Amino acid sequence: MCGIVGLFLKDKALEPQLGAMLTEMLITMTDRGPDSAGIAIYGAAGNRAKLTVQSDHPDQDFATLAEDLEASLGAPVTLRANDTHAVLELPADQVEAARAAIADRPGRIRVMSDGDVIEIYKEVGLPRDVAARFDLPAMSGTHGIGHTRMATESAVTTEGAHPFSTGPDQCLVHNGSLSNHNSLRRKLRREGVRIESENDTEVGAAYLTWKMQNGATLGEALEASLTDLDGFFTFVVGTKEGFGVVRDPIACKPAVMAETDQYVAFGSEYRALVNLPGIDAARVWEPEPATVYFWSH
């Protein structure tokens, strides 16, 4: 049992409040997942790529990271630290080289995400504590998704927390369990798809990345997941443009959505949505089984 929240803003006036609204939604889902929590925030695009990284020893591992990457890449790199995470900004054509350089460094720096607009923050702990560590309520953006985890498929670690990102500006949060993740992980790794953990959700994210790398749209990839992924799942997928939702054909995992002129919201339960502005006048519904929903800017 896990908790999922998502918020897609139509009204630009609400963008400074995105982090605060998502944080309140996330904390409401604490009893569905007290082990760890995470959030993906999609902000404004700049002229450089973002690489979000994490370390258990940030004072040591981040101290000279930007300078060392600049020397290795021969390109300007800036670093903005936030507790155990940091956002590196660098030229878009240097992202893969930066990943390789980070992997070769001593210590243990994990890449959480890369892309033009995405930033991912996740850690072990109660959602309220995780949100406070990163000052999530102060973050702004156009849309975001979050997750509170109750571990079933892998250990309670930062690596096992959601969201998982396996492609640029793409991430996935998941409530459920995939039964064929081991065989699919082996297949995807043979195809060259990057998978870092033993978590079944990361395999789901990597599957969607693989389908899109082979020409599928996100909608087509989500449709294909209904056939290729075994188990019970509710997925919320974040992209640069928006987010998508799909539930497996049995749809035993709870989900509710709400839409107004200002936003589209997703929650594992309605109580995650009750404090959103204008919720009393929103169109509220339960997503249909085996049906793909998507909203984009």
Side-chain angles (χ1 to χ4, degrees), residues 29-49:
M29 293 289 94
T30 296
D31 59 353
R32 296 192 62 85
D35 298 334
S36 57
I39 193 166
I41 292 281
Y42 289 84
N47 56 7
R48 302 209 296 166

Side-chain angles (χ1 to χ4, degrees), residues 167-249:
D169 286 314
Q170 178 195 323
C171 68
L172 172 69
V173 292
H174 166 215
N175 181 22
S177 179
L178 302 180
S179 56
N180 64 334
H181 64 95
N182 285 321
S183 60
L184 191 53
R185 182 183 293 106
R186 291 191 293 269
K187 174 182 178 179
L188 293 172
R189 281 176 170 164
R190 288 195 298 270
E191 295 288 334
V193 180
R194 184 186 295 115
I195 302 176
E196 303 289 349
S197 76
E198 297 304 307
N199 189 285
D200 62 328
T201 302
E202 188 178 17
V203 174
Y207 168 83
L208 297 175
T209 297
W210 173 66
K211 293 294 287 187
M212 288 187 284
Q213 285 176 348
N214 284 277
T217 65
L218 174 61
E220 291 167 343
L222 290 171
E223 289 281 359
S225 74
L226 296 168
T227 300
D228 293 343
L229 301 183
D230 294 335
F232 304 109
F233 56 88
T234 294
F235 286 163
V236 179
V237 183
T239 72
K240 184 176 180 178
E241 292 78 24
F243 72 61
V245 174
V246 70
R247 304 170 79 196
D248 69 82

